[in-house]
Amino acid sequence: MSNLSSLKGYVSCALDCTRLRLVRNAEDLSNDEGCFKPEMAHQIFGESESIFGYRDLKIDVMAAAGPFDLYFDINYSKKVEELHTEGLKADDVEKALADIVEDGCFYTNRDEFKRVLASKADSFRPHGTKVDEFTAQTSPSASRSDGDQQQRPVRTFEVYLSSADDPEYMKFHSRLETFSFFFIDGFSRVEIDPLWLFFTVYERYSIDNNNEASGTRFATIGYVAAYQYYAYPDKIRPRISQVLVLPPFQKLGIATRLIEHTIYEYFSKKEKVSDITFEEPIEAIQHIRSVIDAKRCKTLPAFAKDNLLNGFTKDMLREAKEHFLINPKQCRVVYEILRLGCTDLDDEQQYRAYRIEVKKRLNMNYNKHRRDLAKAKKRGADVTAALCGLPGVAERIESLHAEYKQVEEIYGLVLHKLLLAS
């Protein structure tokens, strides 16, 4: 059998050898400038995000920019089965990719994919009902100009609303979700349930053929999924569970627009909406959300400076919910952000009062866990192992201080954004 050192060259990092690409025309198939890297691959290739059995492995995952038909192009210079390995086999890359395509529909033949691309590019139109349209300028680095605002290209985006009871949209969405495995940690496909709503974003652009306008096309750039949960006694509580804006379209303010305007406008006009929640948002989305909500709550009487310095109140909860559909947990975060902005950090008493209040909130789950263990012990349960696993007082104080410093740093970034926006 080949020794271990000879096999090390047949282990590839999935993040390094995988490239993603959105294809608008046949020329894009060979345009490396349009490629972007995945953020994760453990949901496809395992926790180690490594692939065994190939030398010089290259994986290109391509999608037709509009309808999102998929093409997998897998290349390598040598495969481990070509060596004497006593039955040790290479990982099946194509099967691993096929497993994340819900209906198993993808292409591996370039010419076939080109034909599909040519036949669908002109005719593809967004699914659902149009609910928003906006423009954004590319960043100076992405423009051919010198960064002059007037010369930077303006791009047009449209948002369409669809639901899970639309079978044609769900076929399309199942292909779009394939890219979610590369960018949303813990991602799982949505079930067919009419309570699911999808805000899908498309770029509207014109193509030019020999300097003659040849019509309008649409490219898919991302989506937000929201589930309409029941809220007692007769309301709904929408929960934002998935937000995906593909890398070529990031840093254009699209996620901010969706959260601040599109989704809020839609649900604020619906009857009997209790509030809007988010399902464990990633740090970037939580940051956008906090900036938006803090900017809104600054306009409310309950969040005036004197009220903030006097502590968290029910009026804050009520006004944030009534005016902006902000749920209680997020309202507390907004309060802490705005109070930090009002706190004189050179006034030790004022600053200490703020730190104590935030730490009390951070320590709530720890204290609840201790109380639950105490109750279980009174009922006769053996909680010795659980109690031994709890940190000591000194260790908990140190941990709590570290948590607080991290929270204050994040809040500081939000306040900086608020200052720039004012």
Side-chain angles (χ1 to χ4, degrees), residues 187-219:
F187 174 77
S188 60
R189 293 187 180 277
V190 300
E191 298 178 358
I192 304 300
D193 185 328
L195 294 178
W196 277 109
L197 294 177
F198 305 94
F199 298 83
T200 309
V201 192
Y202 306 85
E203 180 177 15
R204 189 183 76 222
Y205 65 100
S206 298
I207 59 169
D208 193 281
N209 187 13
N210 295 325
N211 296 320
E212 293 182 7
S214 301
T216 299
R217 289 185 177 180
F218 290 87

Side-chain angles (χ1 to χ4, degrees), residues 95-146:
K95 182 181 183 303
L97 293 171
D99 286 345
I100 65 171
V101 182
E102 189 171 53
D103 58 4
C105 183
F106 59 91
Y107 299 90
T108 56
N109 181 285
R110 182 175 289 245
D111 289 335
E112 189 177 4
F113 182 68
K114 280 184 178 180
R115 288 194 291 271
V116 170
L117 188 65
S119 66
K120 291 187 177 182
D122 285 330
S123 60
F124 175 76
R125 290 295 179 267
H127 299 269
T129 303
K130 184 177 175 179
V131 293
D132 195 11
E133 178 177 332
F134 58 96
T135 59
Q137 287 184 309
T138 57
S139 62
S141 60
S143 171
R144 294 182 181 179
S145 72
D146 59 2

Side-chain angles (χ1 to χ4, degrees), residues 9-10 12 53-58 74-80 82-83:
Y10 290 85
S12 306
Y54 306 88
R55 191 182 291 278
D56 304 316
L57 178 64
K58 291 182 180 179
I74 304 166
N75 292 285
Y76 49 88
S77 62
K78 192 174 289 187
K79 194 174 180 179
V80 79
E82 297 172 12
L83 303 174

Side-chain angles (χ1 to χ4, degrees), residues 12-24:
S12 306
C13 172
L15 295 179
D16 292 337
C17 68
T18 304
R19 301 187 302 179
L20 309 176
R21 193 179 320 195
L22 303 177
V23 182
R24 297 191 178 193

